[in-house]
Amino acid sequence: MNTIKGRSFLTLLDYTPEEIEKLIDLAAQLKAQKKAGLPHRLCEGKHIALVFEKTSTRTRCAFEVAAADLGMHSTYLDPKSSQMGKKESIADTARVLGRMYDAIEYRGYGQEIVEDLARYSGMPVLNGLTNEFHPTQVLADLLTIREHFGSLRGRKLVYLGDARYNMGNSLMVGCAKMGLRFTACAPRAYWPDENLRTRCSAIASQTGAVLSFSEDPAEAVKGADILYTDVWVSMGEPDAVWQERISALKPYQVSASLMALAGPDCRFMHCLPAFHDLNTEIGREIHEKYGLAAMEVTDEVFEGPRSIVFDEAENRMHTIKAVIAATVAGA
């Protein structure tokens, strides 16, 4: 019996380990079909609205290519193309889109927005990122880990940096659901919300996952299979927080010496974009103000042989395709 068709994909908390594994398996199947040049137009004639209140490279491209491969037409709505939340309420927008489309993707701010879209639209709503959760990214991460290590259960993933927001939250949820060992390594004030930690600990007790929290990078990374990090300042946050984040998080930068402590088989992951050099406007600005040549990860690690960030980026498309196919077509 298909338990996914017609459902929204708002957070991995809403899905069982078996359902998450089914999505990963489907993504792997669709990836193999695409590599082989085999058509898989499972959503022929369907339509998806892509609502972006925050801009993106990977999420937009992944959804548009995935939809096209599945035979769907997509409509991209950027912050200037929609009146949602300005001249029209979220509930009203959802009910309008629900009469025209077969699915909605939302990338933006509070989780309550994507929840309201799902509540009022009457169709699958897919979370492309909110402040609190980023489930499509973590699904891609899980597929990438399985591809490189052959399995998920028991693998140790250490997240270094600000773990209070969407990536720290979603990685903790994904690891708890799928039986991984998860460590958030950051100053205590940067750990995930206590209520979410409690909820994930209850999940871990059922799946065999192990969750831990540390302020000591050298200790936390020992025996790790994956070191994972993200930008220190999220999209939409004011520039004024840079000084605070740099002071707090510089000891958690993923460097070659930290990778060495983890062991020779450890891999590096990052959801991108990454500030690993001076080839971006923000990177150059931070260098001028604070003298840093890199932030959350050094260029040596990012460009090194143990970095699998571009496998991970590609898998955004394959896993997003699986989510669309499963929720819209019941694949």
Side-chain angles (χ1 to χ4, degrees), residues 116-129:
D116 279 347
L117 285 171
R119 181 175 301 112
Y120 292 104
S121 68
M123 69 174 61
V125 174
L126 316 177
N127 182 355
L129 174 142

Side-chain angles (χ1 to χ4, degrees), residues 156-160 181-186 212-227 252 258 261-262 266:
K156 181 178 179 180
L157 184 150
V158 180
Y159 180 86
L160 297 113
R181 293 179 291 154
F182 171 83
T183 299
C185 185
S212 61
F213 306 89
S214 172
E215 296 183 277
D216 183 351
E219 186 62 31
V221 303
K222 289 179 181 177
D225 295 296
I226 304 103
L227 299 191
Y252 300 88
L258 201 62
L261 289 175
C266 183

Side-chain angles (χ1 to χ4, degrees), residues 291-303:
L292 295 177
M295 283 178 271
E296 71 276 6
V297 57
T298 65
D299 196 54
E300 181 180 10
V301 170
F302 186 88
E303 297 289 0

Side-chain angles (χ1 to χ4, degrees), residues 161-272:
D162 193 343
R164 298 172 296 177
Y165 301 117
N166 45 46
M167 282 312 305
N169 289 343
S170 292
L171 284 166
M172 180 172 64
V173 172
C175 289
K177 288 279 186 176
M178 303 310 290
L180 284 79
R181 293 179 291 154
F182 171 83
T183 299
C185 185
R188 186 176 294 268
Y190 290 76
W191 291 355
D193 173 74
E194 185 176 357
N195 289 334
L196 184 60
R197 298 202 311 263
T198 299
R199 188 171 179 184
C200 286
S201 293
I203 295 168
S205 68
Q206 300 297 314
T207 64
V210 177
L211 309 182
S212 61
F213 306 89
S214 172
E215 296 183 277
D216 183 351
E219 186 62 31
V221 303
K222 289 179 181 177
D225 295 296
I226 304 103
L227 299 191
Y228 199 120
T229 192
D230 191 9
V231 294
W232 289 342
V233 176
S234 298
M235 189 184 306
E237 292 190 281
D239 290 345
V241 304
W242 274 109
Q243 179 64 68
E244 170 214 323
R245 299 288 169 78
I246 289 169
S247 298
L249 297 176
K250 192 169 186 308
Y252 300 88
Q253 181 188 67
V254 181
S255 62
S257 59
L258 201 62
M259 289 291 293
L261 289 175
D265 297 325
C266 183
R267 297 292 180 264
F268 172 73
M269 298 179 73
H270 192 304
C271 57
L272 302 181

Side-chain angles (χ1 to χ4, degrees), residues 9-12 56 58-59 63 105-107 111 127-141 165-171 173 228 230 271-272 316 320:
F9 189 75
L10 308 180
T11 165
L12 291 178
S56 169
R58 278 150 302 282
T59 302
F63 267 97
E105 177 274 346
Y106 173 81
R107 177 183 174 92
Q111 182 73 10
N127 182 355
L129 174 142
T130 62
N131 293 339
E132 294 85 359
F133 294 106
H134 199 357
T136 59
Q137 176 65 55
V138 172
L139 200 64
D141 296 337
Y165 301 117
N166 45 46
M167 282 312 305
N169 289 343
S170 292
L171 284 166
V173 172
Y228 199 120
D230 191 9
C271 57
L272 302 181
R316 289 296 308 284
I320 281 170

